[in-house]
Amino acid sequence: MTFVHPVLVRWSDIDSYDHVNNVRYFDYLQEARIAFLAEVFGVGADEFFGRSPVVLVSQTVDYLRPILLRHPPYAVEVWVSAIGTSSYTLRSQIVDAAEGLTYCKATSVLVAVTADTHAKRPLDETERAALERHVSVA
């Protein structure tokens, strides 16, 4: 199942080339990732990290075309592509579905950690079941 999160470009996101600075793509992906995980685990975004803490250990982004300043939001699509013992991989892309354009594709690896020490821990059965409902090969 693919989750869709709208993101609006802010004036401050634009660089001297009149498009979104590449580092801002990471912000858009992060906003969508947090909203997605809050929905997956059935909690508010502010509660998520207290109940199912994770850390981002890797993220790669392939930039395909520049994002421009405009009023309609772009869409960030997010889905689970793999689940391991203590980690899971999310795939994301920033798109304009109406135009059929993809602006970037990203892969993010997250590792479950304990709330107190942030030591790596295995995913529990509840987390694994929630993630499995959102696996897609998109």
Side-chain angles (χ1 to χ4, degrees), residues 17-37:
Y17 297 109
D18 288 330
H19 57 70
V20 171
N21 185 288
N22 286 0
V23 76
R24 294 292 178 218
Y25 286 58
F26 285 84
D27 292 335
Y28 300 161
L29 295 166
Q30 175 178 263
E31 289 172 23
R33 184 174 61 247
I34 291 169
F36 171 68
L37 292 174

Side-chain angles (χ1 to χ4, degrees), residues 40-125:
V40 165
F41 295 112
V43 297
D46 56 337
E47 299 172 49
F48 168 70
F49 293 103
R51 293 173 91 186
S52 300
V54 294
V55 293
L56 179 69
V57 296
S58 173
Q59 183 165 274
T60 59
V61 176
D62 293 327
Y63 300 97
L64 304 175
R65 62 177 30 89
I67 295 176
L68 304 175
L69 180 65
R70 68 175 200 189
H71 178 64
Y74 292 89
V76 182
E77 300 175 345
V78 186
W79 63 95
V80 177
S81 65
I83 304 169
T85 302
S86 61
S87 67
Y88 50 94
T89 303
L90 303 180
R91 297 291 313 271
S92 308
Q93 56 187 14
I94 300 175
V95 301
D96 181 337
E99 297 291 325
L101 298 174
T102 301
Y103 294 86
C104 80
K105 293 183 178 188
T107 302
S108 306
V109 179
L110 295 100
V111 171
V113 296
T114 61
D116 55 348
T117 66
H118 290 228
K120 184 169 83 168
R121 64 170 175 83
L123 294 165
D124 66 33
E125 290 179 23

